[in-house]
PDB file of all heavy atoms in Angstrom:
ATOM      1  N   HIS A  79     -24.078   6.285  -3.680  1.00 98.00           N
ATOM      2  CA  HIS A  79     -24.131   7.548  -2.914  1.00 98.00           C
ATOM      3  C   HIS A  79     -22.792   7.889  -2.348  1.00 98.00           C
ATOM      4  O   HIS A  79     -22.285   9.062  -2.412  1.00 98.00           O
ATOM      5  CB  HIS A  79     -25.188   7.409  -1.821  1.00 98.00           C
ATOM      6  CG  HIS A  79     -25.740   8.717  -1.291  1.00 98.00           C
ATOM      7  ND1 HIS A  79     -26.728   8.734  -0.337  1.00 98.00           N
ATOM      8  CD2 HIS A  79     -25.436  10.007  -1.572  1.00 98.00           C
ATOM      9  CE1 HIS A  79     -27.039  10.009  -0.043  1.00 98.00           C
ATOM     10  NE2 HIS A  79     -26.197  10.784  -0.787  1.00 98.00           N
ATOM     11  N   HIS A 130     -22.391  14.911   3.645  1.00 98.00           N
ATOM     12  CA  HIS A 130     -22.338  13.495   3.515  1.00 98.00           C
ATOM     13  C   HIS A 130     -21.451  12.886   4.589  1.00 98.00           C
ATOM     14  O   HIS A 130     -21.761  11.813   5.087  1.00 98.00           O
ATOM     15  CB  HIS A 130     -21.878  13.078   2.097  1.00 98.00           C
ATOM     16  CG  HIS A 130     -22.961  13.332   1.072  1.00 98.00           C
ATOM     17  ND1 HIS A 130     -23.088  14.570   0.393  1.00 98.00           N
ATOM     18  CD2 HIS A 130     -24.027  12.634   0.635  1.00 98.00           C
ATOM     19  CE1 HIS A 130     -24.175  14.529  -0.417  1.00 98.00           C
ATOM     20  NE2 HIS A 130     -24.760  13.409  -0.275  1.00 98.00           N
ATOM     21  N   ASP A 220     -30.414  13.561   4.286  1.00 98.00           N
ATOM     22  CA  ASP A 220     -30.254  13.902   2.809  1.00 98.00           C
ATOM     23  C   ASP A 220     -31.620  13.627   2.168  1.00 98.00           C
ATOM     24  O   ASP A 220     -32.094  12.548   2.137  1.00 98.00           O
ATOM     25  CB  ASP A 220     -29.187  13.056   2.235  1.00 98.00           C
ATOM     26  CG  ASP A 220     -28.733  13.402   0.819  1.00 98.00           C
ATOM     27  OD1 ASP A 220     -29.534  14.126   0.207  1.00 98.00           O
ATOM     28  OD2 ASP A 220     -27.710  12.919   0.383  1.00 98.00           O
ATOM     29  N   HIS A 224     -31.245  11.258  -5.189  1.00 97.00           N
ATOM     30  CA  HIS A 224     -30.159  10.241  -5.270  1.00 97.00           C
ATOM     31  C   HIS A 224     -30.039   9.445  -4.000  1.00 97.00           C
ATOM     32  O   HIS A 224     -29.499   8.352  -3.997  1.00 97.00           O
ATOM     33  CB  HIS A 224     -28.903  10.835  -5.711  1.00 97.00           C
ATOM     34  CG  HIS A 224     -28.122  11.671  -4.783  1.00 97.00           C
ATOM     35  ND1 HIS A 224     -27.512  12.857  -5.099  1.00 97.00           N
ATOM     36  CD2 HIS A 224     -27.872  11.497  -3.435  1.00 97.00           C
ATOM     37  CE1 HIS A 224     -26.983  13.376  -4.030  1.00 97.00           C
ATOM     38  NE2 HIS A 224     -27.205  12.625  -3.025  1.00 97.00           N
TER      39      HIS A 224
HETATM   40 MN1  MN3 B 325     -26.517  12.852  -1.161  1.00 76.58          MN
END
Side-chain angles (χ1 to χ4, degrees):
H79 202 176
H130 289 89
D220 189 344
H224 70 223

